[in-house]
Amino acid sequence: MPPPDEKRRRFEAMYAANHDPVLGYVLRRTADAHDAADVLAETFLTAWRRLDDVPPDDQTRPWLYGVARRVLANHRRGERRRLALGDRLRADLADRPAGEVPADLRPIMEALDGLPERDRELLTLVGWEDLDAGQIATVLGCSRNAVRVRLHRARRRFTRELERRGALFEMPAPQVGVTEGDPA
């Protein structure tokens, strides 16, 4: 096995000599430049990993074309799987009824829709997804304390929005000393 510097120099020389021709090969076989960039990167990553298997001199480029051809085939298979999954998901969602909001909840939904996106996200993560502050912190990429502060402010803005729309209602007071399932 050659020393790391020699391996790097060999790869860089191979890359410099073959980048443009392999890029052209890939561009002519992909739908867009982004896909071509992905295939090109994967091709040269394979060449780096298998540098000892890369044939020398004038056999290098055909070997890289062969690698690119296999990477393209994998890319196309993956794309077909993603498209098929998307079709299945769309079909599944199309079969579900588009839940009409009950009349008594419409003012609440309208108030929620009147909030900034960041407030809606916080409130729905709590109310619909049933996440706690730690879990929300993970979703949003912030601290638990930041979530608590943001949630407090979002709830205040939501209350003001409900009041503005005349949709504020009294929450039933918890019954002290009564456990769930016990008659009140």
Side-chain angles (χ1 to χ4, degrees):
M1 182 170 206
D5 285 343
E6 176 59 33
K7 182 178 179 182
R8 191 175 115 231
R9 276 193 290 278
R10 182 173 170 222
F11 177 79
E12 287 173 350
M14 177 193 60
Y15 183 85
N18 293 287
H19 174 272
D20 290 346
V22 174
L23 176 59
Y25 175 88
V26 170
L27 279 169
R28 288 184 288 277
R29 289 161 176 79
T30 54
D32 61 51
H34 295 291
D35 289 345
D38 290 344
V39 171
L40 182 70
E42 186 67 28
T43 299
F44 279 103
L45 177 62
T46 300
W48 171 256
R49 288 180 179 156
R50 297 186 51 205
L51 194 58
D52 292 335
D53 298 333
V54 177
D57 305 323
D58 60 347
Q59 291 303 307
T60 300
R61 189 169 300 152
W63 186 87
L64 287 169
Y65 287 162
V67 171
R69 184 174 170 273
R70 287 183 287 283
V71 171
L72 279 162
N74 287 338
H75 178 76
R76 288 180 185 128
R77 274 192 299 275
E79 192 63 27
R80 282 193 301 272
R81 283 192 301 269
R82 280 187 291 280
L83 290 172
L85 176 61
D87 290 344
R88 276 196 313 272
L89 289 172
R90 278 188 291 283
D92 287 350
L93 292 174
D95 291 343
R96 294 181 186 200
E100 181 68 25
V101 176
D104 59 333
L105 294 181
R106 252 184 236 124
I108 296 168
M109 291 304 297
E110 289 168 359
L112 189 61
D113 288 342
L115 295 174
E117 171 60 30
R118 66 183 185 280
D119 289 349
R120 280 196 310 272
E121 180 70 3
L122 273 169
L123 294 170
T124 57
L125 285 171
V126 170
W128 295 346
E129 311 309 331
D130 199 28
L131 300 183
D132 64 29
Q135 294 166 319
I136 294 171
T138 300
V139 171
L140 300 179
C142 63
S143 71
R144 293 170 96 118
N145 194 46
V147 167
R148 287 186 196 100
V149 170
R150 291 177 189 175
L151 190 55
H152 173 74
R153 291 175 182 161
R155 284 176 174 148
R156 276 197 341 231
R157 285 189 283 269
F158 185 47
T159 300
R160 282 197 301 269
E161 188 66 24
L162 286 168
E163 288 171 345
R164 188 179 77 73
R165 293 171 181 273
L168 194 59
F169 55 91
E170 290 291 319
M171 292 293 290
Q175 296 180 2
V176 179
V178 178
T179 58
E180 224 174 285
D182 288 347

